[in-house]
Amino acid sequence: MAKIPVQFRLNGSDRAAFVDAPETLLNTLRRGLGDFSPKYGCGQGTCGVCTVLVDSEPQLSCLTLAVACEGRHVETAAGLADGPDLHPLQAAFMDHFAAQCGFCTPGMLTAARALLAKNPSPSRDEVIEAIAGNICRCTGYEPIVAAILAAASAPGQRRA
Ligand code: FES
Ligand code: FES
């Protein structure tokens, strides 16, 4: 099958890949472009560990075709930190012990980033709703919710 060229911005950089027509964005990010921050969990849209932003909207990259991202801006958890400076969400996750095994963490951070970009002062219920599609087997969710609320009130949260 002939490969299809696709180009998009990834965390602010122009990237290109040759993909198969049915190839998922998750596969392209991980295998083609070396961004392993979005995780492969269920592969069928139920766990949220593959969550990325496409034009600032959370998308499950395991259900998103890579070719559908032509010309768009894809953001992953790998693009959150500014060099050695953690994003306020990352710092808050550390401060609140919101990651245990860490497998859900990139998806949680990405979902939270989208929330804070639209709603800088979310309520607890709004945080819970924003991460409702992201499954965590370890934390019981409470530290994650606390971390997102803390990041929302952090001085640097505008970067969210
Ligand atoms: S791997 Fe995409 S939702 Fe589970
Ligand atoms: S920290 Fe292990 S799945 Fe969330």
Side-chain angles (χ1 to χ4, degrees):
M1 189 189 308
K3 298 281 186 179
I4 301 168
V6 61
Q7 297 183 46
F8 52 81
R9 287 184 73 72
L10 175 59
N11 296 326
S13 298
D14 291 327
R15 302 297 300 269
F18 287 92
V19 303
D20 294 318
E23 183 168 325
T24 65
L25 175 61
L26 178 60
N27 192 69
T28 301
L29 290 171
R30 291 178 59 86
R31 295 194 178 174
L33 299 175
D35 185 341
F36 295 98
S37 61
K39 304 302 181 205
Y40 183 93
C42 65
Q44 54 187 11
T46 58
C47 74
V49 300
C50 65
T51 303
V52 302
L53 303 183
V54 179
D55 292 343
S56 303
E57 292 294 330
Q59 301 286 342
L60 299 173
S61 61
C62 73
L63 297 183
T64 302
L65 292 178
V67 292
C69 295
E70 174 70 30
R72 304 178 79 177
H73 192 185
V74 178
E75 298 168 88
T76 70
L80 277 174
D82 183 8
D85 298 325
L86 292 180
H87 187 280
L89 278 165
Q90 293 173 306
F93 268 55
M94 289 183 63
D95 290 344
H96 290 77
F97 302 100
Q100 289 185 28
C101 80
F103 197 66
C104 72
T105 306
M108 289 286 188
L109 287 168
T110 306
R113 182 184 188 188
L115 169 67
L116 297 189
K118 286 183 178 172
N119 180 0
S121 302
S123 67
R124 177 182 164 81
D125 284 349
E126 287 169 334
V127 169
I128 291 170
E129 183 178 353
I131 62 170
N134 296 72
I135 292 173
C136 177
R137 297 177 302 180
C138 308
T139 64
Y141 299 97
E142 192 55 40
I144 294 172
V145 173
I148 296 169
L149 288 170
S153 56
Q157 75 89 17
R158 233 171 268 103
R159 289 187 55 235

